[in-house]
Every structure is written in C-alpha cells, then in structure tokens.
Amino acid sequence: MHLTERQVADFQRDGCVFPIRVMSAADAAGYRRRLEQHEAIAGAPLQGNLRHKTHLLFTWADELVHHPAILEAVADVIGPDILCWTTNFFIKEPSSAGFVSWHQDSTYWGLDPADVVTAWVAFTDATPENGYMQFIPGTHTVDQLPHLDTFHRDNLLSRGQEIAVEVDKSKAVGIGLQAGEMSIHHIKLVHGSEPNRSPDRRIGFAIRYIPTYVRQTKVRDSAMLVHGTDEYHHFDYEPRPHADMDAGALAAHAEAVERQVKALYQGTDKHEFRA
Ligand code: NI
C-alpha cells in the first residue's frame, strides 16, 4: 500500500484524494524544465495534439506514467493491472483566460465500466490564485449528467463541454497542491477550474489510468500496459518512446491520437485536438 486506509476511504467517499507526495519539488521542477526546453526549441508553448498522449513523444513523460510512487497509489484504488489510456497537459499561462468548465470526464471518453482514475501531477504549485482544480465531493456516485458542447475559445476541454444543469458551487473543494504532489480523481467526479491570475504558469500533467478489464466502446483504441498483466487485450499496445520526438515516437503518437480524436469528437466535424 502506498496510500493509507484513510486515503483510500477518502477516495471512495469523495471521488478524490489529495495531496499525495510522489516526488520532491526539485524533481517536479526538473520535469518542468524538460517540458520548457522543448517549448524553447519549438518557439511556442506545447499546443494542440502535442498536449495529449504526450507520454508517447517524450522519454521524461514516459518515465512519469511509469513512476513507481504514482502507480502504487493508483493501484491502491483500481487494482494492480493497469493501462495508461492517455495523458493531457493542463497548462495555464500567467494571467490568462484559460479555464475548465464544470464537467465529468466520463462524458465523451467511451470507457466502460467507470473504474477510471486521473493522477493529476503538479509540475508547479496549484493554488486558488493560479486556478487550481475544484470538485464537488461525492458526485462520482451520481449518474452521468447531461453536458452541452460550447467549444468556448478559452475552455481547455476538448469540446468546451459543460454540465447542463445547476452545479452547487457552495460545496466545491479546491485541490491545493505543492509541486511534486498529485491528486487522484474518479472519471465521474464533477470538477472544473478558474483562470490563472498569478504571474507564473500553472502546469498540471493529467495521467488517465484504467484497469485492464475496462473497454473502449467507441473505437478500437490503444493504450500502454504500465503495471501488472493484461488478460483482456481490449486495447492495442502503444510503444514507449526511445528518444524525444524521434520518428518512431512521432508515428506512434500520430496513430494513437487519431484513434482518440475519433472517439472524443464522435458526432462532430473535428479531426484534431483544439489548440
Ligand atoms: Ni476533467
């Protein structure tokens, strides 16, 4: 066990557990530096498709999805046989308008059953000022709620989807994290976040983990086995990158993202992730 019994009980009751220290602040700063080295060479912040399934592109991101402290904590809530389904960077630039509307992750993912969790790893501190994630405790046990697609420009979600019914924000709890800590949240938890009003970036790396028995109901999908064994073979396997953005990594990423876009944007005319 990496989590305490109390932390596992918190997750089961609230749909979220935090903070969980998984690395030092210095190590988190090291991951941020690797990301920003790439951005400096590219001449722009990580954008579009590169923000998604990023662990297929960079060896340091691959290292993170295999990080023992992260995986052991995740295994305490979903069991030892684990696939990494995807990763998503949630980067909020200093004093920027980007936000995340209230939503349930389960809305467009096509995964069944809903035994799916996100390990949200803080590369920087996450605070009220810089737009930390907020959630409504216990909402992971309610049914799927109706969502509206807004495609709002500043919304960081794929479709700008937001819950179409009233969310009782008076019950919201903020997930304050220090760099190197993470939270774990359930796929059906109602959550969202406000813009970054601070002078520094807020960087979170969301790793989506599923037990091997979960199915993708929309497309033939791919994922990476990161812990334990897979008796089900519901997903094709994605290769680990050998070098940052080499030809093999770029090809594997492109193929995996194409499948994911097909699932997430089903019923729309979109063929890639929004910038
Ligand atoms: Ni979400």
Side-chain angles (χ1 to χ4, degrees):
M1 290 278 288
H2 182 271
L3 299 180
T4 64
E5 278 178 30
R6 167 116 188 231
Q7 285 175 310
V8 173
D10 283 351
F11 175 82
Q12 286 166 350
R13 186 191 60 235
D14 296 339
C16 186
V17 54
F18 72 99
I20 305 162
R21 170 68 60 186
V22 290
M23 70 184 79
S24 67
D27 284 349
Y31 284 113
R32 175 178 182 173
R33 201 155 48 240
R34 302 283 294 274
L35 166 68
E36 293 184 341
Q37 277 167 358
H38 162 76
E39 292 179 323
I41 292 165
L46 200 65
Q47 280 174 344
N49 285 354
L50 301 184
R51 284 200 186 199
H52 309 280
K53 294 233 183 203
T54 313
H55 63 294
L56 301 180
L57 291 171
F58 297 101
T59 54
W60 51 267
D62 171 74
E63 186 179 291
L64 267 176
V65 307
H66 291 87
H67 195 293
I70 297 172
L71 283 173
E72 281 159 29
V74 167
D76 285 342
V77 291
I78 63 169
D81 298 326
I82 303 172
L83 295 164
C84 174
W85 178 59
T86 195
T87 51
N88 313 97
F89 264 109
F90 284 90
I91 301 173
K92 293 178 178 169
E93 300 300 337
S95 305
S96 63
F99 71 101
V100 176
S101 50
W102 291 102
H103 70 285
Q104 291 171 302
D105 292 337
S106 47
T107 308
Y108 295 116
W109 287 3
L111 300 175
D112 185 63
D115 301 331
V116 177
V117 296
T118 297
W120 199 102
V121 181
F123 281 26
T124 63
D125 293 352
T127 67
E129 191 193 9
N130 72 13
Y132 63 1
M133 195 178 121
Q134 300 177 58
F135 70 102
I136 314 291
T139 46
H140 63 304
T141 62
V142 305
D143 286 338
Q144 176 67 43
L145 295 166
H147 286 58
L148 287 174
D149 294 343
T150 69
F151 290 99
H152 188 289
R153 185 190 58 188
D154 296 320
N155 194 318
L156 300 182
L157 298 177
S158 60
R159 297 180 176 212
Q161 62 267 30
E162 63 181 35
I163 290 172
V165 294
E166 194 63 33
V167 171
D168 185 357
K169 298 177 191 85
S170 71
K171 297 206 170 77
V173 173
I175 303 180
L177 297 173
Q178 295 178 350
E181 293 180 336
M182 72 169 180
S183 57
I184 298 176
H185 73 263
H186 187 277
I187 187 173
K188 283 171 67 188
L189 187 71
V190 173
H191 62 289
S193 66
E194 294 187 352
N196 181 0
R197 299 180 184 89
S198 83
D200 191 16
R201 307 178 91 185
R202 194 226 59 175
I203 304 173
F205 187 57
I207 311 172
R208 322 295 190 171
Y209 289 115
I210 62 179
T212 50
Y213 59 78
V214 164
R215 288 176 183 277
Q216 167 60 272
T217 60
K218 292 180 157 183
V219 296
R220 179 69 193 181
D221 208 347
S222 58
M224 187 184 284
L225 183 65
V226 291
H227 198 268
T229 55
D230 175 10
E231 295 171 15
Y232 299 91
H233 304 288
H234 292 328
F235 291 79
D236 294 334
Y237 291 146
E238 297 162 344
R240 301 179 68 170
H242 297 294
D244 291 349
M245 296 192 81
D246 71 1
L250 287 169
H253 179 259
E255 190 195 330
V257 164
E258 190 181 337
R259 298 188 201 212
Q260 191 134 100
V261 164
K262 260 189 200 139
L264 297 186
Y265 288 100
Q266 203 173 76
T268 76
D269 59 358
K270 302 284 187 286
H271 301 290
E272 60 181 6
F273 281 104
R274 305 193 303 153

